[in-house]
Amino acid sequence: MFQFADVILPLPLSKYYTYRIPEELQSDMRPGCRVIVPFGRKKYYTAIVVHIHPYAPADYETKDILTLLDESPILRRPQLKFWEWIAEYYLCSVGDVYKAALPSGLKLESETLISPNPDYEEDEDNRLKDREAALLDTLSRHEKISVQDLEKESGLRNILPIVRTLLDKEAVFVSEQVKTKYRPKTEVYIKMSFGKERRDELRGIFEQLSSVKKQLKLLMAYIDMSGFMQRGELREVSKKELLKRADVTSVVLNGLLAKGILVSYTKEISRIVSMDSAEEAHHLNEFQKKALEDIISTFHNKDVTLLHGVTSSGKTEVYIHLIQEVLKQNRQVLYLVPEIALTTQLTGRLQKVFGKSLAIYHSKFSDNERVEVWNSLLLDKGIKIILGVRSSIFLPFKDLGLVIVDEEHENTYKQQDPAPRYHARNAAIILASMHGAKVLLGTATPSIESYYNALQGKFGLVEMNSRYEGMELPEIRIANTQELRRQRQMPGNFSPLLLKLSSEALKRGEQVILFQNRRGFAPMVECKLCAWVPKCKHCDVSLTYHKRYNQLVCHYCGYTYEIPRQCPACGHTSIEIRGFGTERIEEDAEQCFPEYKIARMDLDTTRTRKAYEQIIEDFQQRKSQILIGTQMVTKGLDFDNVSVVGILSADTMMNFPDFRAHERAFQLMAQVAGRAGRKNHKGTVVLQTAHPEYPLIHQIIHHDYQGMYRTQIAEREQFSYPPFFRLIYIYLKHRDEQLLNSLSRTYAACLKQVFGKRILGPDNPPVARIQTLYIRKIILKIENRASMPKVKDLLHQVQDEMLKDDRFKSVILYYDVDPM
């Protein structure tokens, strides 16, 4: 009897795809296992089995599964259920979730290989062109080669059209080969060629080597490192460590191997860096103890608790004690942080307490490292705590007992592109419920939605209003930049007050943080005469000047441009730089404080994991005295020697065209202010603004979160925004602006027939063209009680109706649920 399997493919398909299971694989096939399947024309993918059943699909002919990759499932219960929830709620396909969830090293895909036809002969009527001949000449040196390698070796660009013409002439063949991405890490180890029972033979070996001093030295080093002469178990000795300890080369080792005294063997080793736990958790003060007791108490009645603790109140120590309670129950913990920079700083503290039970997981790890973390959890190799960023929610937890979402208000928990556009905080709450786990949301500045849920009794609420060791909250002082510029007292980007306080702090041996939420040297370049501003050819945005590379860069598509010598509009040569980013602040700070070392932390300086670690470590060890950064520096980093923080441009954050602008500005400024005065004394924050009279500025000065919350919640209720309504943004993209305008209006009209006044738009988003695609946005406001599966069905019905117009098939359409 035939058996069939429904599988998930790493493609945005609207449903599962069905394949026939060959008879020889039927007994071993199980849901959650990976299989290789053909799809499309000669393409192979790694699919994941979801259901096994005896029913063939009615509307297409099934192909056979080619091979089974796993002896046992690589997914645990309830991962498939969790993937389905994300796809349902965030209006995407399960294939999109699969692509985001599984490390690339676990996804095998076919690679196109090109091989020359040995029987091909060029004829007079069909001569090869120069590029075709050059490509075929390179190809003749290989039996088979990938497109990427062929392009690299031939030195030719865009070779696919050439390959196509060579295919038509039957000069080449094309085939597919499944490529494995994951490679286990191996290391060479050395051991004695005989056991401890023959230790008495060593005397003769020493005499034999008496004239070969370096070999004798190496053998003695091995005996010492392995414990060969002692009783008990032998320690393994790696070749690398042995050569380093003996201070000799591989040639010396090869001599001992050739004589049969030592032998070598290769062993698979873990890439996961771990250490033994060496410290007890710190003792909690009375406020921390009270918070811990209150959290445990609220967990009896609530699955989710919000810990609202002011900056530097010692929330991390409360987390550590809570994790210990969960580990006593032999359950697992997921500790989510919004930025990789935070994993860097927390790793050392957590490893000292939890040792080898802790693993780190984020996007700066290599594919191989991420596969090893995945497999370690899957095979129960002792990992109990995962510290990671948003993608960590997809790991194969066996028995999750607690999820900690640190800095829960951060918008970096929201995945923007590509799909699934999930919010890790909200998804983690669902994941925890599937495991019967508890969730702790921690922050000094809760999101409006989380605080509302806590006040309404949906979440538990625990507050910590005192800073650790009785430290006072920083004093926030205002520098009125509009008035200072009018009086010509502020020629640069630093107010006199900020310069004075920073200088005094640095002279006392203290440190300074300068916060500017724009990277690059200047956000805009402009012609002084006619006000022409250079814009990206592919996106509807002005270009940012990066002085380090002396280029204009588009921060949306990454395209770079040379700086024009004269204005292309009026021909004048007075091109000037306007505004300032972190790169310019760094240059200004170097001029103002030439004797101090300055570090910059933004997207440009933290491309690698090591870059993050180095910047933070240098500042922590006081090798650098001034840290300049974007919002990366606001997210819970703990530096105990910072006494002055400068917020250089508060107005740009408040004036962003978004209903969350004031909430986000308050959070950013309150968080960066919290970096000041961490341990020694009360810190000072200088807030530079042209509008000191704004109510939000007064709320920040007085650390008045409740005041900001009351203002914002009243506005949200009045205008039907979250937490009272759920938002879904519907984006449409096309290269033809006129066609997009027409189709988006028609689509919005169809949606209004179904959803009525809940539909707004279509409108142009703030950036209305990215990478040559024009964009239109439609907003759907849905009541909280509405069923998301029902909403999804209605949206798909309208989309299917629109697809009757062939022009609509070329439109890119996607949904962003709960946008940030």
Side-chain angles (χ1 to χ4, degrees), residues 409-689:
H409 64 278
E410 283 291 350
N411 61 350
T412 42
Y413 280 124
K414 172 75 171 170
Q415 162 76 8
Q416 301 296 345
D417 275 311
R421 295 171 180 86
Y422 66 98
H423 196 298
R425 177 196 62 210
N426 301 344
I429 291 171
I430 299 299
L431 176 69
S433 71
M434 291 178 177
H435 281 270
K438 301 297 182 183
V439 180
L440 181 65
L441 310 176
T443 178
T445 52
S447 64
I448 298 287
E449 290 90 334
S450 294
Y451 200 64
Y452 175 81
N453 284 332
L455 294 182
Q456 294 299 306
K458 185 178 177 182
F459 297 169
L461 177 62
V462 175
E463 300 197 280
M464 294 173 67
N465 297 318
S466 296
R467 291 186 117 195
Y468 191 67
E469 294 181 349
M471 286 181 294
E472 294 180 75
L473 284 164
E475 178 191 6
I476 299 180
R477 299 174 66 177
I478 297 297
N480 186 338
T481 53
Q482 188 176 34
E483 188 62 24
L484 287 167
R485 292 191 198 284
R486 190 182 66 78
Q487 296 175 2
R488 300 193 176 180
Q489 293 179 13
M490 188 177 162
N493 297 308
F494 303 142
S495 61
L497 176 63
L498 178 57
L499 285 172
K500 175 176 174 287
L501 292 174
S502 299
S503 181
E504 289 170 355
L506 292 166
K507 284 174 184 172
R508 292 194 300 268
E510 295 161 356
Q511 291 168 296
V512 173
I513 290 178
L514 301 175
F515 168 61
Q516 168 60 9
N517 208 24
R518 276 186 183 274
R519 64 189 173 101
F521 189 81
M524 204 163 74
V525 175
E526 183 182 73
C527 173
K528 203 172 182 179
L529 199 64
C530 73
W532 170 83
V533 174
K535 290 195 171 183
C536 179
K537 293 175 184 175
H538 312 289
C539 309
D540 190 17
V541 288
S542 58
L543 299 169
T544 301
Y545 174 51
H546 285 248
K547 190 171 184 180
R548 182 180 174 188
Y549 307 108
N550 197 33
Q551 284 180 327
L552 297 170
V553 179
C554 174
H555 284 175
Y556 283 83
C557 69
Y559 210 81
T560 58
Y561 301 81
E562 293 300 315
I563 299 167
R565 295 182 180 222
Q566 60 184 55
C567 173
C570 69
H572 204 271
T573 54
S574 58
I575 304 285
E576 69 172 4
I577 291 159
R578 287 187 56 195
F580 54 95
T582 48
E583 195 180 6
R584 184 166 188 171
I585 296 304
E586 183 182 27
E587 186 178 281
D588 291 351
E590 284 169 351
Q591 291 174 1
C592 295
F593 308 107
E595 63 272 39
Y596 299 102
K597 188 158 189 295
I598 297 165
R600 174 162 59 94
M601 190 159 79
D602 56 25
L603 195 62
D604 298 319
T605 62
T606 55
R607 300 282 179 189
T608 65
R609 186 172 85 217
K610 294 292 180 195
Y612 269 109
E613 292 170 359
Q614 198 59 55
I615 292 166
I616 290 168
E617 189 182 333
D618 285 354
F619 196 66
Q620 221 160 11
Q621 294 180 359
R622 306 182 192 182
K623 291 179 183 176
S624 53
Q625 289 75 45
I626 301 171
L627 178 62
I628 295 161
T630 55
Q631 57 183 312
M632 288 179 184
V633 302
T634 71
K635 295 176 183 173
L637 294 170
D638 185 3
F639 302 116
D640 60 12
N641 193 43
V642 174
S643 63
V644 174
V645 167
I647 299 172
L648 302 180
S649 184
D651 306 308
T652 53
M653 291 181 275
M654 293 189 292
N655 297 332
F656 195 76
D658 181 72
F659 75 94
R660 283 197 174 92
H662 277 210
E663 175 195 8
R664 203 166 287 149
F666 181 93
Q667 288 165 341
L668 274 172
M669 289 189 264
Q671 287 285 342
V672 77
R675 305 312 112 212
R678 302 293 285 183
K679 280 186 183 168
N680 299 323
H681 58 269
K682 185 174 182 176
T684 306
V685 178
V686 178
L687 197 158
Q688 296 187 171
T689 174

Side-chain angles (χ1 to χ4, degrees), residues 173-290:
F173 300 125
V174 168
S175 61
E176 293 288 319
Q177 173 182 286
V178 176
K179 187 179 178 184
T180 306
K181 295 178 182 177
Y182 173 64
R183 292 277 185 276
K185 185 178 181 182
T186 58
E187 195 166 323
V188 176
Y189 282 78
I190 305 298
K191 65 178 180 180
M192 200 71 87
S193 60
F194 50 86
K196 282 189 176 183
E197 70 282 355
R198 291 164 58 190
R199 277 178 291 195
D200 53 340
E201 295 178 27
L202 279 174
R203 186 182 297 276
I205 293 171
F206 290 156
E207 289 173 3
Q208 180 189 337
L209 296 176
S210 59
S211 59
V212 196
K213 301 292 185 190
K214 286 190 176 180
Q215 289 185 4
L216 182 60
K217 182 183 177 186
L218 181 65
L219 181 60
M220 293 299 289
Y222 169 79
I223 290 168
D224 182 40
M225 291 174 75
S226 65
F228 190 81
M229 295 304 289
Q230 290 94 34
R231 301 197 177 274
E233 199 173 326
L234 277 175
R235 292 186 295 276
E236 286 193 302
V237 178
S238 77
K239 174 183 172 181
K240 185 178 172 183
E241 291 297 319
L242 179 59
L243 293 177
K244 185 179 176 183
R245 173 79 167 268
D247 193 24
V248 296
T249 64
S250 296
V251 177
V252 179
L253 175 61
N254 292 340
L256 287 176
L257 294 172
K259 289 172 181 173
I261 298 168
L262 296 177
V263 293
S264 67
Y265 60 99
T266 303
K267 179 183 168 185
E268 187 178 325
I269 61 167
S270 174
R271 291 181 173 89
I272 302 170
V273 178
S274 62
M275 59 183 277
D276 293 322
S277 51
E279 286 183 8
E280 292 289 320
H282 295 160
H283 291 295
L284 301 181
N285 64 26
E286 58 177 300
F287 300 107
Q288 291 170 318
K289 276 182 190 170
K290 175 79 166 56

Side-chain angles (χ1 to χ4, degrees), residues 298-350:
T298 57
F299 277 160
H300 292 309
N301 305 311
K302 307 287 183 187
D303 290 330
V304 183
T305 293
L306 173 66
L307 175 60
H308 180 199
V310 296
T311 54
S312 197
S313 56
K315 293 186 289 293
T316 304
E317 287 304 321
V318 175
Y319 299 156
I320 288 171
H321 281 260
L322 196 59
I323 291 169
Q324 287 180 324
E325 293 296 318
V326 176
L327 295 188
K328 285 175 189 173
Q329 302 163 26
N330 200 29
R331 303 188 74 188
Q332 294 168 316
V333 177
L334 172 58
Y335 190 145
L336 286 174
V337 289
E339 285 279 358
I340 295 165
L342 264 180
T343 67
T344 300
Q345 199 173 48
L346 277 169
T347 299
R349 176 75 193 107
L350 295 178

Side-chain angles (χ1 to χ4, degrees), residues 75-104:
L75 300 185
R76 288 187 184 278
R77 186 205 67 80
Q79 279 178 286
L80 282 172
K81 185 181 170 188
F82 181 53
W83 289 11
E84 286 170 342
W85 177 85
I86 286 180
E88 190 78 56
Y89 185 84
Y90 290 103
L91 306 178
C92 63
S93 73
V94 183
D96 288 325
V97 184
Y98 165 30
K99 277 201 295 186
L102 216 64
S104 297

